[in-house]
Amino acid sequence: MFYKMIENKCTQWYESEQCTVKNLIEYIEKTGQMRDAQIEAIKVYLFLKIACECKPLTQLFRQGFFNSIDLNEIELSKSTREYLFQNPAAAALFEYACLKNDKGEQVSEKLEKQIKKDPTGIDYNEFFRNAFYGVSYTDYLFSLPMGAGKTYLMAAFIYLDLYFAYNEPTNPAFAHNFIIFAPSGLKSSVVPSLKTIQNFNPSWILPEPAATDIKRMISFEVLDQSKTAKKSNKTKNPNVQKIANHQPLSELFGLVAVTNAEKVILDRIQEKQGQINMFEESDDDKDRQANELRNLIGKLPSLSIFIDEVHHAVSDEIKLRAVVTRWAQNHTVNSVIGFSGTPYLDKVEKIKVVDSLSIGTAEITNIVYYYPLINGVGNFLKRPVVKIADIADSSLIIEKGVREFLDTYRDTVYADGLTAKLGIYCGTIEKLEEIVYPLVSRIVAEYGLSTDVILKFHKGNKQYKMSADSQMQFDILDKSISKIRIVLLVQIGKEGWDCRSLTGIILSQEGDCPTNMVLQTSCRCLRQVIKNSQETALIYLNESNAEKLNMQLEQQHHISLKEFSSADNSKTTLKRYNRTAYLKLPKVEFYQLKINYDTLTVEKANPEVDIEKSVDSAHIAGSIIKTTDLSMDANNISIQVDDA
């Protein structure tokens, strides 16, 4: 909820004369290439970079930088009001306690009462240090739902930083180099999507020729090699060589490295009793290689670290923060920027205020920008049509779902040649191969389609091997050459899967996806294919998964399943046309009038007569006006005082 204070102050800044980027934002809006969610995130990003000088959240809240509450309008005792005026950190915590969430509920009425009662009894600096995980470096999190364009937003941040850094090379607020981490375990789906940053057109956010000039300065490196080729005389860690090629590092500007956090950063790190062991003195070859890469990245000047799907880093959080803290000691880290569509913790985290009071939060606290999922439905997301099956048999649910999908979307071909596709999640490979595939094959045959429209995608096991071309078929699903209409999945594509043409999802039983990921999995089909077009998607669920979806929507987005399925934020575009030619209207004649004014003298002046008249007037006035003598005796003056 801290982000609400940041957004309020950001809005005030943009409306003030101190804002220096109004023209830039107007240019971005005029190009029409960025979504509203992305533009609002860019506003917050530039506010934090320029107005806040890219300082850590702990420092900014302690200084009361985001305070906007009017303490004179609140019922407070005189001593409490004076204390809050004199202590901006206390006023910041008081304002946080008074905030209201999307449900209209106050963040903490108990905290508000505690501050009113005893404002001096709280260590405000310690509270904010604990609230933002005790880090000394800048760490911001941007929360946007799936489909909002987080990858392109990363690219926008990179180009904006480089643009300002090039104009102000010594300004520490702007980064010179960047490394983008995909979360552990998602490199097969996330790293390829991050490579699309190279396709971002900087003229969408920067005017020419600045956009082209900055793009020439950028060099991309994908650190995805695990070992050196045979008989190579290069370093044993090829990822180190990729960075070393950009020597001298002290003058490096515009490097964008993309990799998997586990491979590059967390590999070969062990935790024992809360202590991190990075094997700095180890003789093991793998330990040496891992440390070599970590140490080299730590030398990159003015480095900004981007973490995609940051909520996955929670399990490795202590390792990741330990590594970044080590880098920050070299004074080379500019900032850590996280991105997530679901910035929620597995359980409520408590932040101590006093011994008898703690604040509980289920959100990652360093969120600086939040865009609600429901605002994207019908805007840049398809409108979901949610169907809940009232039967328990998984096979019957799949059959009904496939038939409804084919009845509705069989002939759907989007404007760029993509065919609508259905994703069916299966709990096990055996179920996919032995039950689901034969069932779906029979149904598509009834609709006059061949089995070539079905893709089985899983990693295989001893009994059922992965098809030779399944990975290739999966990678080209969003291309017009793909003829696949139905994708059968096992433990793949739950999140981080970017497939715009996916138009339907079936979750027929428990275990088709992890319990805590029903929302992410169900929303895989909501990405919009054609910008600003009105598109729908089918979500077919059994009752159990429908209950989980409703629960996760309420917990994470404060909306119900009914509100989610009925939302529509589509914008009505008013097109204006010149109809004069069609109506054959004649040209309108007009006349321009010019008026000349002549000066007319009514009476000529006669100086001699006018002077005589003025002398006579002065003589008459002198005979009327008398001068009052004020030199009277003071004793003759009586003063009366009315005590009534």
Side-chain angles (χ1 to χ4, degrees), residues 192-403:
S193 67
L194 292 178
K195 292 181 182 179
T196 59
I197 288 178
Q198 300 178 62
N199 301 326
F200 181 79
N201 187 346
S203 64
W204 295 346
I205 60 169
L206 294 173
E208 295 289 2
T212 301
D213 292 343
I214 297 298
K215 189 164 188 176
R216 290 196 191 103
M217 301 176 188
I218 292 181
S219 55
F220 292 93
E221 293 288 358
V222 180
L223 309 180
D224 57 354
Q225 290 183 246
S226 57
K227 58 183 178 180
T228 305
K230 294 181 179 180
K231 299 181 181 180
S232 173
N233 59 357
K234 294 183 178 181
T235 177
K236 292 184 179 181
N237 191 329
N239 295 318
V240 171
Q241 185 62 43
K242 287 183 178 182
I243 296 179
N245 290 336
H246 297 274
Q247 296 279 6
L249 297 183
S250 59
E251 301 175 5
L252 185 59
F253 186 92
L255 174 66
V256 179
V258 183
T259 187
N260 175 261
E262 185 177 53
K263 177 185 292 185
V264 175
I265 302 305
L266 307 180
D267 189 31
R268 311 299 294 176
I269 294 180
Q270 293 184 2
E271 176 192 358
K272 183 178 290 186
Q273 296 179 349
Q275 298 296 319
I276 298 297
N277 182 6
M278 297 188 186
F279 299 100
E280 294 289 354
E281 305 299 329
S282 173
D283 294 330
D284 185 89
D285 191 53
K286 290 185 177 180
D287 295 339
R288 185 192 64 77
Q289 291 182 37
N291 284 316
E292 183 182 13
L293 182 58
R294 278 196 300 269
N295 292 334
L296 188 61
I297 292 175
K299 295 178 182 178
L300 297 178
S302 190
L303 180 67
S304 186
I305 303 164
F306 286 14
I307 306 176
D308 190 36
E309 302 295 351
V310 72
H311 56 278
H312 281 285
V314 173
S315 58
D316 290 319
E317 179 181 7
I318 187 171
K319 296 181 182 181
L320 185 60
R321 293 196 183 280
V323 174
V324 176
T325 300
R326 180 75 63 89
W327 289 342
Q329 293 172 357
N330 299 331
H331 304 288
T332 58
V333 175
N334 169 273
S335 56
V336 176
I337 309 296
F339 300 85
S340 176
T342 53
Y344 308 104
L345 304 170
D346 292 336
K347 58 182 179 180
V348 174
E349 192 175 74
K350 295 194 177 294
I351 308 170
K352 180 182 174 182
V353 180
V354 292
D355 291 338
S356 59
L357 178 62
S358 296
I359 299 298
T361 176
E363 296 177 337
I364 300 176
T365 54
N366 60 331
I367 301 172
V368 296
Y369 174 74
Y370 174 77
Y371 189 92
L373 170 66
I374 195 169
N375 289 1
V377 176
N379 179 4
F380 52 79
L381 297 177
K382 300 185 183 84
R383 290 187 294 109
V385 178
V386 182
K387 295 295 182 71
I388 303 172
D390 56 358
I391 50 180
D393 191 308
S394 173
S395 297
L396 290 177
I397 294 174
I398 292 175
E399 180 171 358
K400 290 185 66 176
V402 171
R403 291 185 183 279

Side-chain angles (χ1 to χ4, degrees), residues 50-63:
I50 297 173
C52 302
E53 300 177 346
C54 199
K55 294 179 181 178
L57 290 177
T58 304
Q59 182 178 347
L60 292 170
F61 274 93
R62 285 175 176 176
Q63 295 174 350

Side-chain angles (χ1 to χ4, degrees), residues 431-443 454 488:
K431 179 182 178 181
L432 184 154
E433 295 283 356
E434 298 169 6
I435 300 175
V436 180
Y437 179 70
L439 173 62
V440 175
S441 299
R442 176 175 57 82
I443 297 172
I454 305 173
L488 310 182

Side-chain angles (χ1 to χ4, degrees), residues 496-567:
W497 178 25
D498 183 359
C499 183
R500 294 176 298 132
S501 58
L502 190 66
T503 311
I505 289 293
I506 296 179
L507 294 175
S508 62
Q509 66 176 14
E510 290 189 66
D512 286 345
C513 71
T515 301
N516 62 344
M517 297 181 68
V518 173
L519 173 58
Q520 293 96 311
T521 306
S522 301
C523 291
R524 287 300 97 198
C525 61
L526 296 185
R527 292 181 184 272
Q528 195 177 65
V529 183
I530 306 300
K531 187 176 180 181
N532 297 328
S533 62
Q534 297 303 302
E535 301 167 357
T536 60
L538 175 66
I539 300 176
Y540 218 91
L541 308 170
N542 68 336
E543 289 185 346
S544 175
N545 283 321
E547 291 176 0
K548 293 182 177 65
L549 175 59
N550 185 65
M551 179 184 67
Q552 290 170 19
L553 284 170
E554 289 180 344
Q555 291 177 347
Q556 300 178 13
H557 297 281
H558 308 301
I559 59 174
S560 65
L561 180 55
K562 183 179 180 180
E563 292 173 312
F564 174 63
S565 57
S566 61

